[in-house]
């Protein structure tokens, strides 16, 4: 089956710093989303981005489907950005296959 | 903005009991899903549902589990005879269409089996 790997697995930042999170997938995909899981466990949808680039405030994402990766950029990080970031892909059928996650901690 | 809702937010049950987790998908969506996340692990697909039948299920979704759309708005996941290892966060999701359509996730139900 498809492998969805995220890097880095853990990241600690000072407030105000920028970061790039990466999602690599081992096969062509039909869909890709980025999620933020907050400390209460809720999954917050960040981007629906099967290809191209999108921006929403301090966050932006780029997916290069032909090269099988996606990047999530966080600029001017805030403590509320802390949590786990997942990418998820649809491969072949209906279901999302989630990546391994990047655990981000932003220090004040 | 329309959203997927789930009830309860937290459920505690004893081993061997049956639980029903409830979801209200976005009203014009036709595809419905359940996912599970054991604490500290990644989110895993359980089942997808369309046109009143299961369209795909994972190996996790065995005879202990069932799904139903009892009316025009609710989508439920039933777990019969719960086990300790069923303790997890359960997420419901819905989409307008399959495969290339965005899935919208609910806030989750945290199930604790004691």
């Amino acid at each position: 089956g498809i492998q969805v790997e995220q890097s880095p697995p853990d990241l600690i930042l000072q407030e105000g710093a920028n970061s790039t999170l990466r999602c690599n997938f081992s096969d062509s995909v039909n869909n890709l989303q980025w999620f933020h899981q907050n400390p209460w466990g809720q999954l917050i949808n960040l981007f629906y981005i099967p290809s191209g680039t999108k921006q929403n405030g301090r966050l932006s994402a780029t997916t290069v489907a032909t090269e099988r990766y996606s990047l999530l950029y966080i600029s001017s990080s805030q403590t509320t950005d802390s949590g786990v970031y997942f990418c998820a892909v649809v491969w072949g059928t209906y279901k999302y296959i989630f990546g391994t996650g990047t655990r981000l901690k932003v220090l004040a | 903005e329309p959203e997927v809702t789930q009830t309860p937010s937290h459920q505690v049950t004893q081993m061997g009991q049956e639980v029903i987790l409830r979801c209200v998908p976005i009203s014009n969506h036709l595809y419905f899903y359940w996912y599970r996340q054991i604490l500290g692990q990644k989110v895993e697909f359980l089942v997808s549902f369309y046109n009143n039948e299961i369209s795909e299920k994972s190996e996790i979704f065995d005879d202990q589990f069932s799904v139903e759309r009892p009316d025009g708005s609710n989508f439920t996941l039933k777990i019969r005879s719960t086990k300790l290892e069923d303790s997890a966060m359960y997420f419901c999701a819905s989409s307008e269409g399959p495969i290339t359509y965005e899935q919208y996730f609910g806030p989750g139900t945290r199930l604790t089996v004691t």
Side-chain angles (χ1 to χ4, degrees):
Chain A
I2 192 171
Q3 302 300 314
V4 184
E5 301 289 336
Q6 291 184 242
S7 60
D10 295 280
L11 186 58
I12 300 175
L13 299 174
Q14 284 296 136
E15 202 168 27
N18 302 328
S19 62
T20 300
L21 282 55
R22 187 176 181 103
C23 172
N24 290 330
F25 37 97
S26 59
D27 201 352
S28 299
V29 298
N30 295 308
N31 201 346
L32 188 145
Q33 284 186 234
W34 281 96
F35 297 90
H36 174 215
Q37 187 164 40
N38 63 23
W40 297 271
Q42 296 175 328
L43 281 175
I44 311 301
N45 187 13
L46 297 177
F47 293 104
Y48 164 70
I49 187 164
S51 64
T53 297
K54 289 187 177 179
Q55 179 153 10
N56 184 4
R58 297 182 296 103
L59 302 182
S60 63
T62 295
T63 297
V64 184
T66 52
E67 296 189 19
R68 299 179 187 169
Y69 72 88
S70 183
L71 302 174
L72 177 69
Y73 306 95
I74 304 174
S75 64
S76 303
S77 57
Q78 301 175 357
T79 55
T80 52
D81 295 331
S82 296
V84 184
Y85 290 80
F86 290 103
C87 65
V89 302
V90 172
W91 177 66
T93 52
Y94 300 95
K95 62 181 181 281
Y96 269 126
I97 297 168
F98 279 73
T100 49
T102 291
R103 186 173 301 275
L104 173 65
K105 186 166 188 176
V106 180
L107 304 176
Chain B
E1 185 176 326
E3 58 183 19
V4 177
T5 60
Q6 291 186 242
T7 54
S9 56
H10 189 190
Q11 172 118 27
V12 181
T13 190
Q14 289 192 322
M15 198 167 50
Q17 296 296 304
E18 175 182 286
V19 294
I20 297 176
L21 309 182
R22 291 184 167 79
C23 168
V24 178
I26 294 173
S27 61
N28 65 330
H29 286 187
L30 301 176
Y31 293 78
F32 314 113
Y33 315 85
W34 284 101
Y35 293 80
R36 180 183 83 174
Q37 184 184 32
I38 294 171
L39 187 63
Q41 298 185 22
K42 62 181 180 178
V43 180
E44 302 173 289
F45 169 79
L46 290 178
V47 66
S48 61
F49 190 85
Y50 168 70
N51 199 26
N52 276 322
E53 60 183 29
I54 291 173
S55 46
E56 185 176 4
K57 61 182 181 179
S58 72
E59 59 274 11
I60 302 169
F61 194 88
D62 59 22
D63 293 342
Q64 180 196 13
F65 295 92
S66 63
V67 289
E68 191 179 29
R69 188 153 162 84
D71 52 43
S73 59
N74 290 283
F75 179 50
T76 62
L77 174 69
K78 182 189 290 185
I79 309 175
R80 287 182 281 275
S81 189
T82 49
K83 307 171 200 168
L84 294 176
E85 53 265 37
D86 294 326
S87 294
M89 183 78 108
Y90 289 82
F91 293 101
C92 172
S94 69
S95 63
E96 287 183 74
I99 305 177
T100 58
Y101 285 78
E102 183 175 3
Q103 291 186 21
Y104 293 79
F105 280 70
T109 292
R110 185 171 298 282
L111 176 66
T112 303
V113 183
T114 62

